[in-house]
């Protein structure tokens, strides 16, 4: 259930939903456009907060880039060009408005400069922090692209710096969210934020000193869950490339059946064993606050997907 201590001004009277889009949902122009339609439809019923992953495959490239740059900093330029080309192509296929393309190109260049710098720092004394800055680039490059696509659809949006919201310890590569300062930061931001749909890079946090950290693989789901709890969200929606959860893997078993809903206990067990493909701590903030999670398909939004709910809600 929503947290009663969350912001309740007239400006925030409509319920908040946190919509998280995974890499396979935004890895193509069609996927980005589908995500835009989903977000725009959500604005009719709630105040959506969007959390977005890197485009599919980019984080794996960045892991390799970080490894190679630590051994040979001269590889930084080639990897920066490769990642940049991925997003340039995605933007060219997604955005038709020249002004929006130019705006994204400016944001792209700024983020690529940061990526290049971080890759070159991999061979230095702050290698662990530099690695997190490298890995965060995928999400940071996606945020302004999705923002531009929303703007092209007539929906005002705003890019948000996750390091200013999710406060973590300094365990680079697998940072732990510090709940008290995170809740304070998120609520202060939410009370005073400008109109428009906020887009937050998943997977990314920051230390108390503002140094970029990452939450571990699957961390975008955890980012969304933390924001949902801090905001007292009505629910979290996890948009991916599957119709929901099944009794068995539908790619391997013809008798697999879709699940309309399951309770948190079952979902937590599946999450801890990796069956749901989420960060193992994703459900913890939602369980603490009684906030349901819905798993849905970006490419088939008409399908209701699977609801993950507290046990009393199963009735």
């Amino acid at each position: 259930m929503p947290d009663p201590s969350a912001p309740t001004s007239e400006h925030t009277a409509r319920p908040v939903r946190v919509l998280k889009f995974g890499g396979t949902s935004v890895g193509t122009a069609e996927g980005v456009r589908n995500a835009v339609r989903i977000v725009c439809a959500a604005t009719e019923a709630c105040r959506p907060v969007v959390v977005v992953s890197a485009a599919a495959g980019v984080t794996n490239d960045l892991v390799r880039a970080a490894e190679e740059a630590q051994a040979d900093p001269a590889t930084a330029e080639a990897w920066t060009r490769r990642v940049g080309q991925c997003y340039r192509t995605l933007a060219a296929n997604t955005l038709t408005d020249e002004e929006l393309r130019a705006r994204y190109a400016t944001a792209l260049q700024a983020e690529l400069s940061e990526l290049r710098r971080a890759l070159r720092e991999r061979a230095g004394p702050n290698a662990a922090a530099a690695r997190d800055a490298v890995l965060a680039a995928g999400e940071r490059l996606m945020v302004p692209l999705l923002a531009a696509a929303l703007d092209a659809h007539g929906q005002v949006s705003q890019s948000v710096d996750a390091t200013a919201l999710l406060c973590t310890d300094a365990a680079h590569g697998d940072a732990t969210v510090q709940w008290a300062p995170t809740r304070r930061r998120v609520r202060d931001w939410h009370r005073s934020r400008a109109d428009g749909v906020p887009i937050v890079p998943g997977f990314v946090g920051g230390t108390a000193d503002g140094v970029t950290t990452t939450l571990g693989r699957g961390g975008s789901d955890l980012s969304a869950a933390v924001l949902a709890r801090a905001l007292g969200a009505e629910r979290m929606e996890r948009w991916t490339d599957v119709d929901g959860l099944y009794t068995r893997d539908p790619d391997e078993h013809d008798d697999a059946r879709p699940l309309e809903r399951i309770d948190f206990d079952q979902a937590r067990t599946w999450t801890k064993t990796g069956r749901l493909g989420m960060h193992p701590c994703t459900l913890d903030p939602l369980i603490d606050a009684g906030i349901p999670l819905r798993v849905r398909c970006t490419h088939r939004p008409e399908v209701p997907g699977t609801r993950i709910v507290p046990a009393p809600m199963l009735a």
Side-chain angles (χ1 to χ4, degrees):
M1 67 182 62
D3 187 336
S5 63
T8 56
S9 69
E10 181 179 354
H11 185 57
T12 60
R14 288 194 302 161
V16 172
R17 293 179 194 166
V18 177
L19 281 57
K20 181 264 176 177
F21 293 92
T24 54
S25 290
V26 292
T28 64
E30 179 187 6
V32 174
R33 286 191 287 268
N34 287 339
V36 165
R37 284 191 285 268
I38 290 165
V39 172
C40 290
T43 62
E44 299 177 6
C46 68
R47 298 188 79 205
V49 173
V50 175
V51 175
V52 67
S53 297
V58 169
T59 299
N60 288 336
D61 279 349
L62 291 170
V63 169
R64 291 173 53 203
E67 292 172 352
E68 292 186 14
Q70 186 171 25
D72 181 6
T75 62
E77 190 61 39
W79 276 112
T80 301
R81 286 198 302 270
R82 175 170 173 164
V83 173
Q85 187 56 48
C86 171
Y87 282 97
R88 285 190 185 92
T89 300
L90 184 57
N93 292 335
T94 304
L95 305 173
T96 58
D97 183 89
E98 289 299 325
E99 183 176 344
L100 289 173
R101 281 188 178 184
R103 190 182 80 182
Y104 180 68
T106 299
L108 177 74
Q109 283 303 116
E111 292 296 342
L112 290 178
S113 294
E114 289 300 307
L115 172 59
R116 185 182 295 107
R117 177 193 58 78
L119 284 168
R120 289 171 176 168
E121 289 181 357
R122 280 288 288 154
N126 298 316
R131 182 177 188 273
D132 271 354
V134 169
L135 299 190
E139 279 72 14
R140 286 174 167 165
L141 287 162
M142 179 56 68
V143 166
L145 176 52
L146 182 56
L150 280 165
D151 289 353
H153 207 272
Q155 176 60 59
V156 177
S157 64
Q158 55 174 296
S159 301
V160 180
D161 179 8
T163 63
L165 295 184
L166 273 67
C167 184
T168 75
D169 62 16
H172 290 287
D174 191 19
T176 298
V177 174
Q178 307 298 293
W179 174 243
T182 295
R183 177 174 57 182
R184 183 171 61 252
R185 289 180 179 189
V186 170
R187 292 182 176 180
D188 287 348
W189 161 76
H190 186 60
R191 289 188 185 98
S192 60
R193 71 177 178 85
D195 289 333
V197 175
I199 308 173
V200 185
F203 177 58
V204 179
T207 66
D209 296 329
V211 177
T212 297
T213 57
T214 59
L215 306 182
R217 294 308 292 262
S220 290
D221 293 306
L222 179 56
S223 298
V226 168
L227 288 172
R229 180 186 174 193
L231 294 168
E234 177 186 52
R235 68 174 180 250
M236 172 180 158
E237 297 180 358
R238 182 178 187 249
W239 291 89
T240 181
D241 61 344
V242 295
D243 291 341
L245 306 181
Y246 284 75
T247 53
R248 308 173 75 183
D249 186 341
D251 291 333
E252 298 181 6
H253 302 280
D254 292 338
D255 62 346
R257 294 181 294 103
L259 293 166
E260 178 184 351
R261 55 189 174 181
I262 61 173
D263 66 30
F264 275 137
D265 288 341
Q266 182 66 69
R268 189 206 290 267
T269 299
W270 287 355
T271 299
K272 299 298 184 185
T273 60
R275 177 171 173 177
L276 300 190
M278 297 190 294
H279 189 287
C281 296
T282 295
L283 294 178
D284 295 344
L286 303 179
I287 292 171
D288 289 345
I291 298 171
L293 168 64
R294 184 169 292 181
V295 180
R296 302 183 68 181
C297 181
T298 313
H299 311 295
R300 298 183 65 197
E302 70 280 4
V303 177
T306 302
R307 295 169 58 217
I308 303 176
V309 298
M313 294 181 67
L314 287 173

